Amino acid sequence: MGEFSPTTRNGDCEEIANPSTTYGRRRRNWIDAHGSVPARQVVDASCGNKHCIALRHSYLRPRVEQPRKYPKIAERVHRLKIGQHFDVRGVGTDERSRNRFRSGLYAAARLDKVSVRGQADGSVCVTKVGEWSSLRV
Ligand SMILES: [Zn+2]
């Protein structure tokens, strides 16, 4: 409950004065009550009120990936020379998140052979290791 950001009641909802901190507060309330938020999940408000932080209105749902995430990364890979690499942050350290990233990127990077290596800080190193021949079209 650390902060003294004032909250107001709105019907059944509890709203926070500073809307930009709503998500952080709602998430922290959830963690206080349930211990943790699983990877790739977000704490949303079931009442649909974006400013609501009431725990009884909070529920977990899977995070929605940006639809252009993998095509964008694939385009970046395509501009690399073979052997060059870059890091993508925030993928996660667990095997499931990494595999998910890997299959998403493999599907998007149809022109290039890529290698994806997970790193301890939750980022992954994406290396362009080759190009597919035009025969594969
Ligand atoms: Zn609510």
Side-chain angles (χ1 to χ4, degrees):
M1 309 278 147
E3 266 165 42
F4 287 102
S5 227
T7 60
T8 49
R9 304 206 63 151
N10 175 3
D12 222 14
C13 294
E14 245 175 276
E15 295 183 349
I16 193 163
N18 178 357
S20 70
T21 61
T22 305
Y23 183 70
R25 256 307 266 287
R26 189 191 298 143
R27 192 170 194 278
R28 216 157 46 229
N29 285 351
W30 180 275
I31 292 169
D32 284 345
H34 300 284
S36 67
V37 176
R40 311 222 151 258
Q41 307 249 302
V42 294
V43 187
D44 207 346
S46 61
C47 53
N49 178 352
K50 286 199 186 80
H51 305 305
C52 180
I53 59 156
L55 186 60
R56 63 190 168 280
H57 291 174
S58 299
Y59 74 107
L60 292 176
R61 65 163 174 77
R63 185 194 302 164
V64 180
E65 305 247 27
Q66 305 155 282
R68 293 275 304 146
K69 175 179 172 174
Y70 295 113
K72 264 190 206 152
I73 297 170
E75 278 162 27
R76 206 171 150 197
V77 169
H78 195 58
R79 290 196 299 268
L80 295 180
K81 295 193 170 76
I82 292 167
Q84 288 183 322
H85 61 86
F86 59 86
D87 288 347
V88 178
R89 309 203 140 271
V91 173
T93 52
D94 59 296
E95 227 16 67
R96 229 175 114 221
S97 302
R98 284 173 179 169
N99 284 338
R100 197 177 139 128
F101 178 88
R102 206 171 267 131
S103 47
L105 180 57
Y106 285 175
R110 280 180 296 244
L111 302 167
D112 303 293
K113 296 180 194 178
V114 291
S115 136
V116 174
R117 191 162 43 83
Q119 304 182 119
D121 65 354
S123 66
V124 293
C125 178
V126 176
T127 308
K128 175 164 172 170
V129 294
E131 285 173 8
W132 296 107
S133 74
S134 51
L135 290 174
R136 196 165 162 267
V137 178

